[in-house]
Amino acid sequence: MTHFLTKASLAALLALCTIPATASTAAAAGPQTSFIVEAQYHRPIRGCSPMHAVRKARDFGLRDARITRMSPRVVVVAGRERRGWDRITFANVHGCPLIRR
């Protein structure tokens, strides 16, 4: 019975000692951790963003350009041209290179 009491009291003592240690660590972290987390997990867009594809299609002369299909490989933008409806296909990589018109 004495072994049980010593182990229980040791466990209670350890539990009480860790409570102030966790509170001081959390308080010390403060607002600096939010900046570190934002900087660490901010990823650049690796593919072709929809806004960039529409902007590029407008530069190619498409009016009323809209995304009609977006897959891991291609981004298809459709709109009106002087001769009627047309669509432009861009690769879904950085820079949105033109595949076909």
Side-chain angles (χ1 to χ4, degrees), residues 1-55:
M1 184 71 174
T2 58
H3 290 293
F4 175 74
L5 288 176
T6 56
K7 287 181 183 179
S9 62
L10 181 63
L13 181 66
L14 285 173
L16 287 174
C17 291
T18 57
I19 291 172
T22 56
S24 65
T25 307
Q32 295 173 351
T33 56
S34 64
F35 174 73
I36 293 170
V37 169
E38 287 174 13
Q40 184 179 4
Y41 291 108
H42 177 67
R43 296 184 297 135
I45 297 173
R46 300 217 186 269
C48 176
S49 73
M51 294 288 290
H52 187 65
V54 168
R55 227 177 284 127

Side-chain angles (χ1 to χ4, degrees), residues 76-90:
V76 180
V77 180
R80 294 202 48 105
E81 209 177 29
R82 284 181 287 154
R83 290 173 274 151
W85 289 98
D86 195 13
R87 67 179 179 189
I88 299 175
T89 306
F90 297 104

Side-chain angles (χ1 to χ4, degrees), residues 59 61 84:
D59 290 343

Side-chain angles (χ1 to χ4, degrees), residues 49-51 53-54 65-70 75-78:
S49 73
M51 294 288 290
V54 168
R66 296 182 184 146
I67 301 275
T68 57
R69 194 177 113 208
M70 189 163 182
V75 177
V76 180
V77 180

